[in-house]
Amino acid sequence: MTTLVSGQPGPHVVLNALMHGNELCGAIALDALLRMGVRPRRGSLTFAFANVAAYRAFDAERPYVSRYIDEDMNRLWATEVLESRRSSVELRRARALLPIFGMADVLLDLHSMTNDSAPLTLCGRTERAAALAHRLGHPGWIVADAGHAAGLRLIDHPRFAAGGAGTALLVECGQHWQAATAAVALEVCLRLLTVLEVIDPAVAAAGRIPVRDGPPRQVEVTHAVTATTDEFTFTETYTGLEVIPRAGTVIARDGATLVTTPYDGCVLIMPGRRLRPGQTAVRLGRIVG
């Protein structure tokens, strides 16, 4: 973790990579920023690398195994979990990073996806996070959701939830192993730092990529489908952001239970693979803007 201080009033921005050890795009983007010599002209800027232990365990022959060591680090951010007597590699690291995250005015958490889906921004349930996502203008999809039944994400921590003082975004930058995913991560970082006037736009221009997004489309998640059996299977190969025209369409089977779309124009958000009971299988939403 590295913190750069400008000495001038301004926000404390935290850029977080490697919440999951096999999601490399954020680390590549933060390394690029450091190599560019990016320094804040106001406020302070922290580069955080979260699950370093899982990253160090990465094995290209088994790339999905190093998502975490003991448990998913992005389900541990409820106060009662952080203050509990439980212990794991991820929980100890979360507790160590909490003082920095707890002081962030703005947090950007960089992730990637298993499926080859278009990048998207998760803004939680606060209007201030959604507004910031729209100001960035990229990725072109913004998803407002309440997270997972299995536990709170970092962006759901009380610091960033309703009533908190901070603003947090989680950006799914693309498929894990595509070079373009790291480019998206860098682009989002540069846009954020420029919008917040933390760095000079001329500095950001050196690392920018051409993007042809139109106005962002915002999806409000209404249902989170959690797998209840080991036999959860989708009826088709969904990768994410498919719009299912008709209500009542069967999209999956969870053992003997049919999973259907609750309304016309239902958007599928990040359908999972290799699911286990208790994990989010897919989120369902409608386009609201």
Side-chain angles (χ1 to χ4, degrees), residues 141 152 187 238:
W141 288 90
L152 294 191
E187 175 68 14
Y238 297 116

Side-chain angles (χ1 to χ4, degrees), residues 28-261:
I28 295 170
L30 268 55
D31 177 70
L33 291 171
L34 290 166
R35 291 176 183 275
M36 288 169 60
V38 165
R39 295 291 186 274
R41 63 177 182 177
R42 72 183 193 108
S44 56
L45 174 59
T46 293
F47 299 85
F49 299 86
N51 200 339
V52 176
Y55 169 71
R56 287 175 174 164
F58 182 81
D59 180 353
E61 298 297 321
R62 300 188 303 158
Y64 294 102
V65 174
S66 59
R67 177 176 171 85
Y68 53 79
I69 300 295
D70 292 327
E71 58 182 326
D72 190 334
M73 192 173 179
N74 212 27
R75 303 291 183 269
L76 302 178
W77 297 97
T79 300
E80 59 268 26
V81 174
L82 292 164
E83 295 180 353
S84 71
R85 294 186 178 183
R86 284 176 47 194
S87 182
S88 68
V89 168
E90 281 75 21
L91 194 46
R92 290 192 293 273
R93 182 61 173 162
R95 289 166 178 151
L97 292 171
L98 184 59
I100 291 293
F101 293 151
M103 293 188 297
D105 296 305
V106 179
L107 170 87
L108 178 61
D109 193 15
L110 298 163
H111 289 249
S112 57
M113 298 177 280
T114 300
N115 292 326
D116 186 6
S117 178
L120 56 89
T121 299
L122 298 168
C123 63
R125 286 297 193 190
T126 68
E127 292 184 4
R128 63 184 183 274
L132 178 59
H134 279 277
R135 288 178 68 193
L136 298 186
H138 182 68
W141 288 90
I142 299 170
V143 177
D145 75 326
H148 303 274
L152 294 191
R153 304 165 298 188
L154 178 55
I155 66 168
D156 304 317
H157 181 272
R159 172 72 179 178
F160 308 113
T167 301
L169 300 175
L170 186 164
V171 177
E172 298 283 359
C173 300
Q175 200 275 338
H176 294 318
W177 325 122
Q178 293 184 359
T181 302
V184 170
L186 178 59
E187 175 68 14
V188 174
C189 289
L190 291 170
R191 287 191 180 214
L192 177 69
L193 297 175
T194 303
V195 162
L196 297 176
E197 300 180 346
V198 170
I199 63 174
D200 191 299
V203 174
R208 299 290 300 273
I209 59 173
V211 175
R212 296 182 180 179
D213 289 336
R217 290 162 288 182
Q218 183 166 331
V219 177
E220 180 180 359
V221 170
T222 59
H223 299 72
V225 179
T226 302
T228 61
T229 74
D230 289 316
E231 300 175 351
F232 192 104
T233 56
F234 288 98
T235 57
E236 297 185 27
T237 305
Y238 297 116
T239 60
L241 300 176
E242 291 89 355
V243 180
I244 309 302
R246 293 186 177 277
T249 300
V250 177
I251 58 170
R253 292 178 174 83
D254 191 1
T257 302
L258 298 181
V259 179
T260 61
T261 51

